[in-house]
Amino acid sequence: MEKLKRLHKTILVALMISYLFFVLSTISGVSVLMRTFSPLTASLAASVIYISASICEPYKKHMTLLGLGVLSWTIGDVIYNSSVLLGEVDILDNISSVLFLLPNYFFGLALVLYLFRKLNKDSLNRIAFSSFAITIIGFVLLRKFLDVLLNGHQPDPIQYARALLYIFINFFIMMILFFFITMVKGLTLRKGTCFIPLGIFFYILIDFDYTYKEALGRDPENVYMNLLYMLFIIMIAHGTFSQSEYGHTFDVTNYERTKSNSKFLKILVAVLVAIDIFFYFIHFLSENEFFFILIAIMGYWIMSATHDNTLMDQALLKQQKEQNQLLEKQVEEKTKDLQFAYENLQKLSSTDILTGIYNRRYNAMYLRNLTNEYSHSGQSYAVFAIDLNHFKPINDAYGHDMGDRVLAEFGQRMLRLPKNLIPFRTGGDEFMIVMEDVINRKDVLEAAEKLQKLFDTPVVLDTYSFNLSGSIGISLYPEDSSDSSLIVSYADAAMYSVKKSSIRDDYKFFDKALVESVEHHKILENILKKADPDLDFTLNYQPIVEIETGKLIGAEVFPRLKRKIDFEYSTGELIPIAEECGLMGELGKWISTESVNQIKKWNDESGRELNLSINMSALQLLDSAFIGHLKKITQDKDFPSSKLGLDISTNVMLSAEETSKEALLDLGSYGFPLCLNDFGGGELRLSNFLDCTFTMIKLSPSLVDRAGRDKKALQLISSIHALADSLQIKTCAVGIENEDQAIKLKEIGITIAQGYFYGKPCSASEFKENFLKN
């Protein structure tokens, strides 16, 4: 096929060159060259059309007919030239005359074949009677024009009749082409789609000159007219080339009764009447001919109006039939829908569609019924409140569709649990398991271990592997309460307690001390849902010092609520709730902007080079907008990125493994010092730690606290420091509360410290007063 296409292009180029020589030889009057390049050009055009037909299978028949028209012209040209060379042989002249008339009919057949392929019956009828009616009118005018040219001369009757037949057929083909073009869309010169219809139209148009001359008994041959014939043949050939080589084609719109079509009909009729009147008043037409044409025009108008009305009736009937069918279908579908809805009502009202397990609504009803049943039987049950860890970053980074697939996977796992473990989806990423017929606490512990494993097992979807876990809170009926709603609240409280701990992949039984914690969480959540960072937050700063000299080298920033709250809370409690409320993105940008501005101001005023330490959450590591904000704020404020340390907790490292690695590597390469926070206080994958370019580790306050009274803890810190030092990573001791701890940590080589012993977190004004006055 590629070879054929290359040959196709080569012949097209040769066609253009041959036509150029044909034009030059005609202008210069070199008859030998004219007789050579005329049939050569035509044969090349026929070759282009036939190759187009072999490439463009859907239009092979149409192009073959076009090729036959050009081929008949070529053969006629060869025979005519042979007759001239042999001295005007009559039989050859007659044969060539017939052959020169054949292209019109082949072109007409190709056009009709295309119409039958593209148009419906109504559109074909419209073109047929419109073309015939206009042809009758045009034929009267053209015959009259021929008679005027004859000027009373009596031509050969057979030749005259043949000329009139040719005129009628040619004009009919032109009218078909005219009305066809009105239905075509997509005709352009640039793409060559208009070349075929325009080439045919103009070819037939100039053929009237040949027909008239032949009827008048004159020699119809004219070398300059041959140039035009050839030009229009080339247009047809080029049109087939564009259609086959580049797929450039046009489409046809079937006739419809529209305002624009009605307007077109009125204009056409008005123009025809005006032409009829004009020729009558200049005495070109006789009175009989005038009225004949007028009657033909009125007939055409009546036929068109009748056809339009028929189409309108058909459209109305079709519309009514379609509406009836649609109504019947809708009634049938609604009946099926109602039946289906009735059959599945109970299931839909109790089942979570995404996961396939029971929903929150059914959970409340189920627990009430179970509590009522067990209050009489004396049996016990356990409630497991479960919250997925690290799920929100999946939603944010991979989209809700991926998040839904993860939830659906956990739903399928829970459906495979033993029959006495009944699963419910109680929130976006929250679940509840009710364990029926509990015999003893050991049964509950075994179930908790099983559920922990269920949520710890990685979720593999496509090429992604997600490591999640569940924070599980457990409450028991009737041991903790005989009220089902309190049992649920107590399980939630135990679950939140696990989430706030350093190890969130754990389970915990409810105890009375958690009641207050639940209330505190709800208060903070209600505040943060309505909070505005600019209006409702302030920043506290805690000093970071050189342990040897006590010299201030930096500060860690902590967000605090401006409004007074009756209980103590930590940043570690505040940030997860801000994430849950969707506030973290806005709050994180505000913290970084305000703290960079403050440290920059202090450095400019005091001549110091203080470092700033900001805590980053898992969500922020996956937020490209926040990372871009960090880069922008350091550039805009001319604050060295090497002075803006980013604290990443071990829990955050577990939250989004691969994505957090990419973000950390990006931040590290940009120049931000990366610090691994809470080192020794939670889980850590050492491979992640080594892969990311950390420049500092901050020891967990719990580990530092034990170091003051536990030699093994101190030895562990010494080993951690030695390992970090070997990797050229600095170690900072966080949570130093007394001089004894400071001395012991200094003795094992730790150089950077932070804690209440050096200063508590305080407002910017207090920090300046207490630590920057010297």
Side-chain angles (χ1 to χ4, degrees):
M1 183 60 73
E2 289 300 321
K3 290 182 178 179
L4 186 61
K5 286 187 176 183
R6 285 197 294 270
L7 176 63
H8 201 195
K9 291 179 182 178
T10 303
I11 295 176
L12 182 67
V13 173
L15 170 61
M16 299 303 177
I17 295 172
S18 177
Y19 181 67
L20 177 62
F21 280 107
F22 180 38
V23 171
L24 294 175
S25 61
T26 301
I27 294 172
S28 59
V30 182
S31 57
V32 175
L33 293 179
M34 279 193 294
R35 294 190 189 99
T36 302
F37 284 107
S38 177
L40 176 62
T41 304
S43 62
L44 290 172
S47 300
V48 170
I49 295 172
Y50 279 118
I51 294 175
S52 298
S54 63
I55 294 174
C56 193
E57 186 64 31
Y59 300 100
K60 186 173 184 177
K61 293 179 181 178
H62 316 83
M63 292 184 182
T64 300
L65 287 172
L66 293 175
L68 285 173
V70 177
L71 186 62
S72 65
W73 198 97
T74 306
I75 296 171
D77 197 28
V78 170
I79 293 174
Y80 174 78
N81 289 330
S82 300
S83 173
V84 171
L85 291 173
L86 295 173
E88 304 288 339
V89 180
D90 290 341
I91 189 170
L92 293 180
D93 288 342
N94 292 332
I95 293 173
S96 66
S97 296
V98 173
L99 288 172
F100 282 139
L101 293 172
L102 287 180
N104 303 22
Y105 310 120
F106 281 120
F107 296 161
L109 285 174
L111 178 60
V112 170
L113 189 63
Y114 187 85
L115 293 179
F116 273 96
R117 176 186 175 89
K118 287 290 186 179
L119 298 179
N120 59 26
K121 184 179 178 181
D122 290 326
S123 298
L124 288 171
N125 289 338
R126 185 78 182 196
I127 285 183
F129 76 71
S130 297
S131 300
F132 190 77
I134 305 300
T135 299
I136 290 174
I137 297 166
F139 176 73
V140 172
L141 294 172
L142 292 172
R143 184 193 63 80
K144 185 70 174 181
F145 184 69
L146 178 61
D147 290 344
V148 170
L149 291 176
L150 287 171
N151 195 22
H153 174 71
Q154 294 296 324
D156 178 79
I158 297 176
Q159 194 173 21
Y160 182 72
R162 188 176 68 176
L164 291 178
L165 178 64
Y166 290 161
I167 289 171
F168 185 89
I169 293 174
N170 286 347
F171 198 82
F172 183 61
I173 294 172
M174 288 180 65
M175 289 303 100
I176 292 176
L177 195 57
F178 170 74
F179 285 106
F180 165 70
I181 290 174
T182 64
M183 296 182 180
V184 168
K185 58 182 180 180
L187 288 178
T188 64
L189 281 172
R190 184 174 62 85
K191 294 183 178 180
T193 51
C194 65
F195 285 165
I196 295 177
L198 289 181
I200 294 173
F201 186 87
F202 288 124
Y203 183 95
I204 295 175
L205 183 63
I206 65 170
D207 205 42
F208 280 107
D209 175 74
Y210 188 95
T211 304
Y212 273 114
K213 286 180 178 178
E214 191 176 46
L216 294 171
R218 302 174 188 171
D219 183 7
E221 291 300 323
N222 184 308
V223 292
Y224 294 103
M225 290 299 290
N226 284 347
L227 290 178
L228 289 177
Y229 276 118
M230 194 64 68
L231 176 63
F232 300 137
I233 287 173
I234 291 172
M235 283 180 65
I236 296 170
H238 189 278
T240 63
F241 176 84
S242 297
Q243 192 168 344
S244 63
E245 193 72 20
Y246 305 112
H248 295 159
T249 184
F250 51 81
D251 205 356
V252 178
T253 304
N254 279 295
Y255 179 82
E256 294 179 352
R257 188 178 184 273
T258 62
K259 288 184 179 180
S260 60
N261 284 336
S262 298
K263 184 178 180 180
F264 173 76
L265 174 63
K266 292 176 182 177
I267 293 172
L268 181 59
V269 169
V271 170
L272 291 174
V273 170
I275 292 172
D276 187 30
I277 294 171
F278 172 77
F279 282 116
Y280 176 69
F281 274 104
I282 64 172
H283 305 295
F284 182 76
L285 295 174
S286 67
E287 185 174 341
N288 289 337
E289 291 167 336
F290 166 75
F291 281 108
F292 177 83
I293 292 176
L294 190 61
I295 291 170
I297 294 171
M298 293 303 105
Y300 168 60
W301 194 3
I302 293 169
M303 289 172 62
S304 299
T306 304
H307 183 256
D308 282 345
N309 290 333
T310 302
L311 288 180
M312 185 172 64
D313 292 341
Q314 290 176 352
L316 289 173
L317 288 172
K318 182 180 178 183
Q319 185 179 7
Q320 186 175 5
K321 184 177 179 181
E322 289 175 350
Q323 288 177 344
N324 290 338
Q325 290 176 343
L326 180 62
L327 184 60
E328 290 175 2
K329 186 177 180 181
Q330 287 176 340
V331 170
E332 183 181 350
E333 289 176 351
K334 287 295 181 183
T335 304
K336 289 181 180 179
D337 290 344
L338 289 172
Q339 182 66 27
F340 180 79
Y342 176 77
E343 292 173 354
N344 291 280
L345 182 61
Q346 292 300 319
K347 182 178 179 181
L348 290 173
S349 65
S350 62
T351 305
D352 177 64
I353 301 301
L354 177 62
T355 59
I357 62 178
Y358 292 122
N359 58 24
R360 185 186 189 93
R361 176 180 175 276
Y362 186 66
N363 172 249
M365 182 177 69
Y366 175 84
L367 281 176
R368 283 196 301 271
N369 294 338
L370 187 65
T371 302
N372 184 54
E373 178 187 340
Y374 280 17
S375 66
H376 293 93
S377 66
Q379 293 171 279
S380 300
Y381 66 82
V383 170
F384 299 83
I386 305 162
D387 187 87
L388 282 181
N389 297 315
H390 325 312
F391 175 72
K392 185 172 177 58
I394 294 175
N395 253 353
D396 294 331
Y398 300 97
H400 290 281
D401 289 343
M402 183 63 78
D404 287 348
R405 291 177 66 188
V406 171
L407 293 174
E409 168 62 22
F410 282 121
Q412 291 302 306
R413 294 181 186 181
M414 284 183 274
L415 287 172
R416 294 192 290 268
L417 288 170
K419 291 184 178 180
N420 67 325
L421 293 173
I422 315 300
F424 303 85
R425 185 185 179 199
T426 54
D429 57 353
E430 296 176 353
F431 302 93
M432 183 174 290
I433 307 290
V434 177
M435 183 178 184
E436 297 178 333
D437 198 18
V438 172
I439 305 299
N440 52 50
R441 202 177 184 89
K442 180 182 177 183
D443 294 341
V444 180
L445 286 170
E446 289 178 354
E449 293 287 346
K450 184 176 293 185
L451 293 175
Q452 191 177 22
K453 183 177 180 182
L454 182 150
F455 288 101
D456 282 351
T457 304
V459 175
V460 179
L461 297 172
D462 302 330
T463 58
Y464 301 98
S465 178
F466 301 109
N467 291 287
L468 296 91
S469 63
S471 296
I472 305 173
I474 309 168
S475 61
L476 304 173
Y477 171 88
E479 181 179 327
D480 293 322
S481 176
S482 58
D483 186 329
S484 62
S485 61
L486 285 176
I487 288 293
V488 172
S489 296
Y490 291 163
D492 282 338
M495 180 266 290
Y496 283 123
S497 177
V498 175
K499 286 188 76 69
K500 290 191 295 183
S501 68
S502 58
I503 303 177
R504 300 170 75 180
D505 177 17
D506 201 359
Y507 58 86
K508 185 174 184 176
F509 284 88
F510 171 78
D511 62 60
K512 298 297 181 183
L514 293 176
V515 175
E516 185 179 11
S517 175
V518 174
E519 293 300 322
H520 291 175
H521 185 280
K522 288 182 179 178
I523 291 171
L524 288 174
E525 185 177 18
N526 290 334
I527 293 172
L528 292 181
K529 281 180 179 178
K530 304 174 184 177
D532 182 331
D534 285 321
L535 301 177
D536 299 312
F537 283 88
T538 186
L539 295 179
N540 283 357
Y541 299 85
Q542 185 177 28
I544 301 173
V545 302
E546 287 182 354
I547 201 168
E548 178 71 31
T549 62
K551 178 185 175 183
L552 179 69
I553 60 173
E556 182 173 353
V557 64
F558 300 96
R560 299 287 294 178
L561 288 165
K562 286 183 179 180
R563 65 183 290 182
K564 292 184 178 180
I565 300 176
D566 296 334
F567 57 86
E568 289 296 324
Y569 62 90
S570 67
T571 302
E573 294 174 282
L574 202 64
I575 296 302
I577 300 174
E579 288 183 338
E580 292 171 13
C581 297
L583 183 64
M584 197 59 228
E586 188 180 353
L587 179 60
K589 291 180 180 178
W590 179 82
I591 291 171
S592 57
T593 302
E594 291 297 313
S595 57
V596 166
N597 285 338
Q598 187 62 73
I599 296 294
K600 169 70 173 170
K601 181 180 177 183
W602 285 338
N603 284 344
D604 292 343
E605 292 175 350
S606 65
R608 299 173 186 259
E609 293 185 1
L610 298 180
N611 298 303
L612 173 62
S613 182
I614 296 177
N615 287 281
M616 286 190 71
S617 69
L619 187 59
Q620 288 173 318
L621 268 182
L622 298 174
D623 186 355
S624 59
F626 178 72
I627 292 174
H629 175 76
L630 288 178
K631 296 176 180 178
K632 186 175 185 301
I633 193 67
T634 53
Q635 291 176 352
D636 292 348
K637 300 300 179 182
D638 194 24
F639 189 82
S641 57
S642 60
K643 295 293 182 183
L644 179 54
L646 305 176
D647 285 10
I648 319 295
S649 73
T650 54
N651 283 337
V652 169
M653 284 292 292
L654 290 171
S655 295
E657 289 186 16
E658 293 303 321
T659 45
S660 66
K661 280 185 191 178
E662 293 174 7
L664 289 171
L665 289 170
D666 177 37
L667 290 167
S669 64
Y670 192 78
F672 293 110
L674 302 180
C675 174
L676 185 60
N677 211 351
D678 199 32
F679 196 93
E683 295 182 63
L684 175 68
R685 289 183 175 88
L686 284 176
S687 60
N688 289 1
F689 172 66
L690 294 173
D691 289 342
C692 302
T693 55
F694 286 102
T695 59
M696 180 185 290
I697 58 172
K698 284 189 175 182
L699 299 175
S700 170
S702 61
L703 188 59
V704 171
D705 180 57
R706 289 185 60 183
R709 60 182 186 277
D710 187 340
K711 288 185 178 180
K712 289 184 179 179
L714 191 62
Q715 289 174 351
L716 177 59
I717 290 175
S718 178
S719 299
I720 292 172
H721 172 63
L723 173 63
D725 194 48
S726 68
L727 296 172
Q728 296 182 333
I729 297 174
K730 296 177 182 178
T731 305
C732 175
V734 179
I736 295 179
E737 296 186 353
N738 54 60
E739 186 177 4
D740 182 55
Q741 290 175 336
I743 291 171
K744 288 180 178 179
L745 292 169
K746 181 173 67 172
E747 286 175 351
I748 63 175
I750 292 176
T751 59
I752 304 172
Q754 182 180 347
Y756 283 7
F757 178 66
Y758 299 101
K760 296 181 179 181
C762 57
S763 66
S765 58
E766 291 173 329
F767 189 91
K768 181 177 180 180
E769 177 65 23
N770 296 333
F771 303 107
L772 296 174
K773 58 184 178 180
N774 295 329

